[in-house]
């Protein structure tokens, strides 16, 4: 067996073990293998993507779960792949062309598509290669791409089926139009700035046709008044009762438009009268339909005013706004302007202000598809974690609007509809037709638009497994089990996948959805390239190691709470890795290379209380980790392992083991070596899903019988109820309290670490227990002698520590420190504590602080006060004890 070098070097082991795992096929899922199965599909990153801290958290959580299930006996599939990302990818390639002085129109559609495919082949798998550096154990043989032939076939099949069912239709509707990307966007791709943006509310007078004062309307978009075909008021608004049914004159355009009454109008907004622009506002479009108001499109696809805008034609929409406001003021028709927070929508990709635009597009009727997805959550078939997302999910589905699925792009799945130039019919087909399905003419042309990227992504759980073919993979692994994803795509992707699962597979695509946290910087800002606050994960891995990053990011991510991350926090994982490495080196140096006895051969009679204690604590750790995994509380699992390995195994058991290791009892040495190695081996298996590289490297060196060639396919530890031991836990907890008590006194009184002290013990639990623990107390507390006191004996001048169930431990200071000097120092320390405590209590006594400060700050000060009072009480007792001996 190989020895461990002095210092852990992640770079020396990570590539080695990842290659080993791939070479041995440990990531691969075998459909033919019997037994329980577990399936996860990766949220496909865009082919334009590179690894971010958000990806690190999401994919580490997936890998932790997948590695756990694989070790726990499941045939495990983690299916990877990437998304073609229509707008994003087209934008990247168009920027490359622009640098060459070209546009996509210079190349033409076919050559442009070839150019994008070439870019995809060169750069499209970058993020997947980066996920390998993170340690992700995906089944890479099954890697998929949303424009693979098989997935493209699935997209066609779904489009045709929905069209045949009357759920896909083409119609004129108000859509979100991006003048920069030149395409329609779905509701979810048109992002509204939280709290709105600074703007104005303009009050404009529309004179009556008969020369009367008419009506004053309020608008945040005066440029769209060029397309007004009406003014609306609420039917119960008495202010405008006499105007309903009459005409007013549209300012600047000088054409009459009617005043209508509609319940959609909010009488409390502005003046209670609103302009109706059916071609440039979704609500206005609906009102126009109800009142037979013709829509008038007054902008082109560049968001410039078209010929319908009269003398404003050719102006950009915002230039037109400025000119129109000036002209209204010049004509005395601008009544008032007031500041207003406007709910502006922007393009998710380029941040351009979206223009509501009347356009011919393809839509999916979503209400029928939404009903099974609603029922699945209501009846518990589908569970969401954290549960607070249930309300968000249901609210969106219960108020769902039709989905605009056409995009005016060249990169993507082209809409499978062909129009006949002879009969004007439309042919919708699974395969490319050569003739019109209606008249047989060969004079047909395909719709130039492509489908929304999410139209392929919503099929991901089953299209990646070969659907519409009934493949062995689909039969074995669909439905999948768990989806781990970001909550910001709950509408884009999660809810739509649930709808698609029921519509095309007849069942849910997964049974549980776990939403991971958002990674923010220490100021609370979401990490992003634009802010420059997102470290490169590959740099972090290079400096700290993948395991350190994985363990840190998961430990910092409680469910439902954001992660506050900075690179230096990765020290948490690095220090933990080093602690484990050093512990393993200690064990190997004291155990040697000969195989140790299995735990099953060690009876209770052969085990010391510390041996039984660490085995009992191991069972508690196993139970805690498994419970945390079941609830998707990965951070709790990580912290439970940290507590057990660092604080119980390393800090205490390794030190306690030195008593037997340094002794002359061969049987005791045999036993403690077996416990040391076997507990470490199980701890490594527990930790493996979080820190796969470190655990594999150490596990391979341990002198224990192994049934597998790798830790990643070794059994995950299960609780051994026979190893629970309340008696041992009580005994060792008393020992720990005793050692801590002595250590604290040494620190508080300034006793040098090298100085051995004597202690007197007034035993509560019997002298035998003290004598049994004496060897451990001496080693861990630097104690030269332990003397038992009689029932009424209490030594003067010796500070003490109380240990519940064991007794009171007095530390003899004679010949170690000068009691008078120590007493003076304690007086100085107490004066500082009194001053600090008075300041904290004064702050907590101020109502303005307690009532107005953040709750966590108040709580922190309250805890600080409690700690100061406790420390003051301890030092006062020591001061008093020292006085007794003077």
């Amino acid at each position: 067996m190989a020895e461990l070098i002095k210092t852990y070097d992640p770079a020396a082991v990570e590539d080695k073990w990842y290659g080993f795992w791939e070479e041995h096929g440990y990531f691969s899922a075998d459909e033919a293998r019997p037994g329980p199965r577990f399936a996860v599909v990766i949220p496909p990153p865009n082919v334009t993507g590179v690894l971010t801290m958000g990806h690190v958290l999401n994919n580490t959580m997936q890998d932790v779960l997948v590695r756990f299930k694989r070790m726990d006996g499941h045939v495990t599939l983690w299916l990877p792949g990437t998304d073609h990302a229509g707008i994003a990818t087209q934008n990247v390639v168009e920027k490359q062309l622009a640098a060459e002085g070209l546009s996509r129109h210079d190349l033409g559609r076919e050559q442009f598509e070839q150019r994008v495919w070439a870019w995809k082949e060169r750069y499209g798998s970058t993020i997947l290669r980066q996920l390998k550096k993170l340690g992700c154990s995906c089944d890479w043989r099954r890697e998929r791409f949303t424009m693979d032939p098989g997935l493209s076939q699935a997209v066609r099949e779904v489009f045709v089926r929905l069209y045949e069912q009357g759920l896909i239709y083409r119609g004129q509707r108000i859509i979100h139009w991006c003048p920069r990307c030149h395409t329609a966007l779905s509701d979810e791709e048109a992002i509204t700035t939280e709290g709105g943006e600074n703007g104005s509310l303009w009050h404009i007078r529309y004179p009556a046709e008969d020369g009367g004062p008419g009506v004053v309307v309020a608008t945040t978009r005066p440029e769209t008044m060029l397309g007004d075909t009406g003014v609306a008021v609420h039917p119960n608004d008495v202010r405008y009762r006499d105007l309903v049914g009459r005409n007013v004159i549209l300012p600047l355009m000088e054409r009459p438009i009617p005043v209508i009454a509609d319940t959609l109008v909010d009488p409390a907004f502005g003046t209670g009268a609103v302009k109706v622009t059916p071609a440039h506002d979704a609500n206005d479009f609906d009102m126009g339909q109800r009142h037979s108001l013709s829509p008038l499109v007054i902008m082109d696809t560049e968001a410039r005013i078209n010929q319908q805008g009269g003398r404003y034609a050719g102006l950009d929409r915002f230039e037109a706004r400025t000119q129109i406001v000036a002209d209204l003021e010049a004509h005395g028709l601008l009544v008032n302007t007031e500041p207003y927070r406007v709910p502006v929508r922007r393009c998710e990709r380029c941040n351009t202000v979206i223009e509501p635009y009347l356009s011919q597009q393809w839509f999916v009727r979503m209400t029928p598809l939404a009903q099974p997805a609603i029922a699945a959550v209501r009846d518990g078939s589908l569970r969401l974690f954290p549960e607070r997302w249930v309300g968000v999910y249901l609210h969106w589905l219960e108020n769902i609007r039709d989905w605009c699925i056409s995009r005016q792009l060249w990169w993507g799945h082209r809409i499978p509809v062909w129009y006949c130039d002879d009969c004007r019919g439309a042919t919708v087909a699974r395969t490319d037709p050569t003739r019109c399905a209606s008249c047989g003419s060969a004079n047909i042309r395909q719709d130039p638009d492509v489908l929304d990227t999410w139209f392929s992504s919503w099929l991901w759980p089953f299209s990646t497994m070969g659907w519409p073919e009934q493949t062995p993979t689909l039969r074995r692994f669909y439905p999948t089990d768990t989806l781990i994803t970001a909550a910001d795509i709950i509408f884009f992707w999660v809810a739509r996948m649930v709808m698609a699962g029921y519509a095309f597979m007849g069942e849910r695509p997964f049974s549980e959805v776990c939403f991971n946290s958002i990674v923010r910087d220490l100021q609370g800002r979401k990490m992003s390239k634009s802010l420059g606050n997102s470290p490169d994960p590959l740099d972090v891995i290079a400096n700290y190691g993948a395991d350190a990053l994985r363990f840190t990011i998961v430990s910092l991510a409680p469910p439902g709470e954001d992660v506050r991350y900075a690179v230096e926090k990765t020290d948490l994982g690095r220090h933990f890795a080093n602690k484990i490495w050093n512990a393993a080196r200690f064990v190997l140096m004291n155990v040697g290379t000969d195989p140790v006895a299995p735990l099953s051969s060690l009876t209770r009679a052969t085990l010391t209380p510390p041996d039984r204690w660490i085995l009992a604590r191991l069972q508690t750790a196993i139970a805690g980790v498994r419970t945390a995994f079941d609830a998707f509380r990965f951070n709790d699992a990580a912290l439970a392992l940290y507590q057990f390995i660092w604080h119980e195994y390393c800090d205490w058991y390794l030190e306690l083991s030195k008593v037997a290791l340094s002794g002359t009892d061969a049987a005791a040495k045999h036993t403690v070596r077996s416990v040391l190695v076997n507990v470490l081996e199980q701890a490594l298996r527990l930790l493996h899903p979080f820190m796969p590289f470190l655990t594999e490297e150490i596990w391979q060196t341990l002198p224990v019988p192994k049934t597998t060639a790798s830790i990643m396919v070794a059994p995950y530890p299960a609780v051994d109820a026979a190893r629970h031991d309340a008696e041992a836990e009580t005994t060792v907890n008393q020992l720990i309290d005793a050692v801590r008590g002595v250590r604290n006194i040494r620190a508080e009184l300034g006793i040098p670490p090298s100085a051995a002290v004597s202690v007197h013990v007034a035993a509560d639990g019997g002298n035998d227990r003290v004598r049994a623990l004496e060897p451990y107390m001496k080693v861990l507390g630097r104690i030269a002698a332990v003397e038992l006191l009689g029932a009424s004996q209490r030594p003067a001048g010796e500070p003490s520590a109380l240990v519940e169930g064991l007794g009171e431990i007095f530390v003899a200071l004679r010949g170690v420190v000068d009691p008078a000097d120590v007493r003076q120092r304690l007086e100085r320390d107490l004066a500082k504590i009194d001053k600090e405590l008075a300041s904290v209590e004064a702050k907590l006594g101020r109502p303005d602080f307690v009532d107005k400060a953040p709750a966590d700050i108040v709580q922190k000060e309250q805890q600080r006060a409690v700690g100061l009072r406790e420390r003051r009480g301890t030092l006062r007792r020591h001061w008093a004890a020292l006085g007794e001996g003077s």
Side-chain angles (χ1 to χ4, degrees):
M1 294 182 183
E3 292 184 0
L4 298 180
I5 60 176
K6 184 175 181 180
T7 304
Y8 177 54
D9 180 10
V13 304
E14 291 178 353
D15 289 344
K16 175 183 74 173
W17 288 119
Y18 199 90
F20 175 84
W21 297 328
E22 280 200 292
E23 180 183 337
H24 285 75
Y26 292 143
F27 300 161
S28 302
D30 182 1
E31 294 96 339
R33 184 180 145 202
R37 54 66 153 188
F38 182 79
V40 173
V41 291
I42 198 171
N46 292 348
V47 289
T48 57
V50 293
L51 199 64
T52 66
M53 294 309 300
H55 290 120
V56 168
L57 174 60
N58 173 263
N59 286 281
T60 298
M61 290 172 64
Q62 291 182 77
D63 196 44
V64 167
L65 186 60
V66 165
R67 286 179 181 270
F68 162 64
K69 290 292 185 179
R70 188 184 288 120
M71 294 176 73
D72 210 31
H74 292 72
V75 181
T76 303
L77 170 64
W78 185 12
L79 200 153
T82 51
D83 192 291
H84 67 278
I87 294 177
T89 307
Q90 180 160 318
N91 282 346
V92 168
V93 177
E94 286 198 82
K95 286 179 181 177
Q96 287 187 346
L97 290 176
E100 301 169 20
L102 298 172
S103 73
R104 62 184 165 115
H105 300 287
D106 295 326
L107 269 65
R109 184 165 193 150
E110 185 175 345
Q111 285 191 35
F112 178 76
E113 288 177 343
Q114 291 174 0
R115 181 73 176 256
V116 181
W117 274 108
W119 183 92
K120 183 264 177 187
E121 292 305 315
R122 183 171 181 182
Y123 300 107
S125 295
T126 297
I127 192 167
L128 297 184
R129 291 193 296 270
Q130 293 172 331
L131 289 177
K132 292 182 179 182
K133 293 294 292 182
L134 186 63
C136 294
S137 59
C138 300
D139 189 345
W140 298 110
R141 301 174 311 148
R142 301 176 186 271
E143 181 183 331
R144 296 292 182 266
F145 177 55
T146 49
M147 286 182 64
D148 282 347
L151 276 71
S152 296
Q153 179 189 358
V155 168
R156 282 261 184 119
E157 179 66 29
V158 165
F159 186 97
V160 174
R161 285 195 194 183
L162 291 176
Y163 181 82
E164 291 172 346
Q165 295 168 15
L167 295 177
I168 281 184
Y169 66 94
R170 193 183 192 212
Q172 275 207 326
R173 294 286 187 277
I174 295 290
I175 50 92
H176 304 294
W177 180 263
C178 177
R180 157 64 180 78
C181 297
H182 296 110
T183 185
L185 303 175
S186 68
D187 288 346
E188 294 74 34
E189 292 168 310
I191 307 300
T192 302
T193 306
E194 187 175 345
E197 298 183 16
N198 290 328
S200 298
L201 188 63
W202 287 275
H203 296 251
I204 305 167
R205 183 173 299 282
Y206 285 43
E209 187 179 31
D210 60 9
V215 63
V216 175
V217 304
T219 181
T220 59
R221 300 166 63 219
E223 67 277 10
T224 61
M225 67 181 291
L226 305 176
D228 286 359
T229 55
V231 169
V233 298
H234 194 278
N236 297 331
D237 195 333
V238 295
R239 293 172 295 176
Y240 303 113
R241 186 171 296 164
D242 294 339
L243 275 175
V244 175
R246 297 166 61 186
N247 287 343
V248 293
I249 300 298
L250 177 63
L252 306 181
M253 301 303 288
E254 302 301 323
R255 67 171 180 265
I257 56 175
V259 177
I260 62 172
D262 195 287
T263 55
L264 190 63
V265 178
D266 178 5
F269 173 75
T271 63
V274 296
K275 54 196 282 307
V276 183
T277 319
H280 294 277
D281 183 274
N283 289 330
D284 290 5
F285 178 83
D286 292 341
M287 273 199 286
Q289 295 285 297
R290 289 194 291 272
H291 297 276
S292 301
L293 301 179
S294 299
L296 184 64
V297 177
I298 51 95
M299 291 185 202
D300 62 19
T301 57
E302 302 279 346
R304 292 185 174 276
I305 306 301
N306 62 22
Q307 295 305 312
Q308 297 288 352
R311 64 180 179 273
Y312 303 101
L315 292 178
D316 171 79
R317 54 184 165 165
F318 298 121
E319 295 173 342
R321 175 182 294 181
T322 300
Q323 188 61 54
I324 286 169
V325 169
D327 290 347
L328 288 169
E329 189 167 19
H331 285 77
L333 297 174
L334 184 62
V335 177
N336 185 31
T337 303
E338 59 180 289
Y340 193 75
R341 294 291 290 177
V342 183
V344 176
R345 282 186 178 264
R346 291 183 177 271
C347 175
E348 182 198 30
R349 290 296 172 192
C350 69
N351 205 40
T352 301
V353 174
I354 294 303
E355 190 60 42
Y357 198 70
L358 184 64
S359 178
Q360 186 97 333
Q361 302 286 342
W362 286 93
F363 297 86
V364 179
R365 300 185 200 278
M366 300 300 285
T367 301
L369 297 173
Q371 301 316 304
I374 293 170
V377 167
R378 290 200 179 281
D379 66 20
S381 302
L382 174 63
R383 297 189 300 158
L384 308 183
F385 299 87
E387 289 187 1
R388 65 185 176 87
W389 289 106
V390 168
V392 177
Y393 171 95
L394 291 174
H395 181 267
W396 185 74
L397 284 173
E398 289 167 350
N399 296 275
I400 199 166
R401 297 173 59 177
D402 288 355
W403 176 15
C404 176
I405 57 171
S406 46
R407 298 291 181 270
Q408 289 63 53
L409 304 170
W410 285 0
W411 173 245
H413 295 99
R414 198 161 171 182
I415 291 176
V417 178
W418 287 259
Y419 305 109
C420 179
D421 290 333
D422 293 333
C423 74
R424 304 300 178 190
T427 301
V428 179
R430 290 173 173 83
T431 58
D432 292 4
T434 57
R435 295 186 176 276
C436 173
S438 298
C439 71
S441 170
N443 194 18
I444 59 175
R445 53 188 170 78
Q446 189 174 0
D447 192 305
D449 292 348
V450 301
L451 290 163
D452 179 7
T453 293
W454 297 100
F455 195 87
S456 53
S457 301
W458 75 325
L459 315 178
W460 187 252
F462 51 89
S463 65
T464 52
M465 297 187 190
W467 187 90
E469 302 299 324
Q470 290 299 309
T471 64
T473 301
L474 190 67
R475 287 193 295 269
R476 178 69 163 132
F477 292 112
Y478 188 91
T480 66
D481 293 277
T482 302
L483 176 72
I484 298 179
T485 189
D488 57 1
I489 53 175
I490 188 172
F491 310 135
F492 280 115
W493 194 47
V494 177
R496 287 176 181 159
M497 280 193 293
V498 179
M499 289 186 270
Y502 280 106
F504 305 109
M505 295 297 295
E507 57 185 322
R508 65 196 180 191
F510 28 73
S511 56
E512 297 162 325
V513 180
C514 173
F515 294 111
N516 59 257
S517 307
I518 295 173
V519 183
R520 300 185 182 276
D521 64 15
L522 297 184
Q523 299 177 46
R525 301 175 301 173
K526 186 174 180 179
M527 285 191 168
S528 68
K529 290 181 182 177
S530 60
L531 288 176
N533 64 344
S534 181
D536 183 342
L538 293 184
D539 289 342
V540 180
I541 290 172
N543 292 323
Y544 290 84
D547 286 336
L549 176 58
R550 287 166 62 107
F551 188 84
T552 298
I553 201 73
V554 171
S555 299
L556 297 176
E561 297 181 31
D562 294 345
V563 177
R564 297 293 182 97
Y565 176 79
V567 172
E568 56 270 21
K569 286 195 173 187
T570 317
D571 278 334
L572 167 70
R574 176 160 63 185
H575 294 332
F576 189 39
N578 290 337
K579 184 79 169 181
I580 297 166
W581 186 262
N582 291 333
R585 292 187 74 245
F586 169 84
V587 170
L588 291 172
M589 284 189 293
N590 284 279
V591 170
T593 58
D594 293 335
V596 298
L599 285 178
S600 58
S601 68
L602 304 179
T603 64
R604 179 184 174 89
T606 64
L607 297 170
T608 64
D611 297 333
R612 290 159 43 207
W613 170 78
I614 195 62
L615 290 170
R617 297 309 300 158
L618 174 62
Q619 310 317 311
T620 300
I622 294 170
V625 170
R626 285 182 169 273
T627 298
F629 278 154
D630 288 344
F632 301 108
R633 299 191 67 87
F634 299 99
N635 70 307
D636 285 349
L639 295 176
L641 288 170
Y642 187 92
Q643 167 66 24
F644 173 72
I645 295 172
W646 188 306
H647 295 298
E648 295 174 347
Y649 182 77
C650 294
D651 282 356
W652 289 105
Y653 186 70
L654 291 191
E655 297 302 312
L656 292 167
S657 72
K658 292 176 182 178
V659 173
L661 291 173
S662 61
T664 58
D665 187 333
K669 288 183 179 181
H670 174 80
T671 297
V672 79
R673 285 169 177 162
S674 177
V675 175
L676 276 170
V677 174
N678 281 286
V679 171
L680 176 59
E681 192 272 340
Q682 289 198 52
L684 292 173
R685 282 189 277 141
L686 282 173
L687 184 62
H688 175 76
F690 296 93
M691 305 180 86
F693 300 110
L694 172 80
T695 53
E696 184 76 87
E697 181 74 5
I698 298 173
W699 186 83
Q700 293 287 345
T701 69
L702 295 185
V704 292
K706 301 182 177 77
T707 57
T708 62
S710 169
I711 192 174
M712 73 167 287
V713 287
Y716 203 75
V719 173
D720 181 356
R723 294 295 183 188
H724 287 305
D725 196 325
E727 180 186 353
E729 292 202 52
T730 298
T731 299
V732 175
N733 286 340
Q734 290 171 352
L735 169 62
I736 290 171
D737 288 345
V739 171
R740 281 178 176 155
V742 173
R743 286 176 176 175
N744 289 341
I745 290 172
R746 295 176 68 106
E748 289 156 356
L749 302 188
I751 299 173
S754 59
V757 296
S758 296
V759 299
H760 300 97
V761 181
D764 287 344
N767 292 343
D768 290 344
R769 173 165 292 187
V770 175
R771 288 304 181 199
L773 298 180
E774 181 179 344
Y776 305 104
M777 293 172 61
K778 285 182 173 179
V779 171
L780 274 66
R782 291 285 295 164
I783 297 172
V786 176
E787 295 184 22
L788 292 169
L789 298 172
S792 60
Q793 287 182 293
R794 292 296 182 270
E798 295 185 3
S800 65
L802 285 170
V803 178
E804 185 178 352
L806 188 66
E808 188 170 4
I809 301 173
F810 297 85
V811 178
L813 302 180
R814 184 173 299 172
V816 180
V817 292
D818 183 340
D821 290 345
V822 173
R823 206 161 188 258
Q824 288 178 2
R825 184 167 59 79
L826 290 178
E827 289 171 356
R828 291 193 297 270
D829 291 344
L830 283 167
K832 290 179 182 178
I833 291 172
D834 286 340
K835 183 177 179 181
E836 187 177 353
L837 181 59
S839 174
V840 174
E841 289 177 335
K843 184 185 291 186
L844 291 171
R846 295 200 329 257
D848 63 322
F849 173 75
V850 175
D851 296 339
K852 296 179 181 178
D856 60 327
I857 299 297
V858 174
Q859 185 181 28
K860 186 177 180 180
E861 290 299 299
Q862 290 170 336
Q863 292 171 344
R864 186 176 165 209
V866 170
L868 288 169
R869 292 188 194 103
E870 289 179 352
R871 178 160 172 74
R872 182 176 64 181
T874 299
L875 296 189
R876 281 178 173 175
R877 285 195 301 274
H878 294 339
W879 181 85
L882 289 169
E884 292 171 0
S886 60

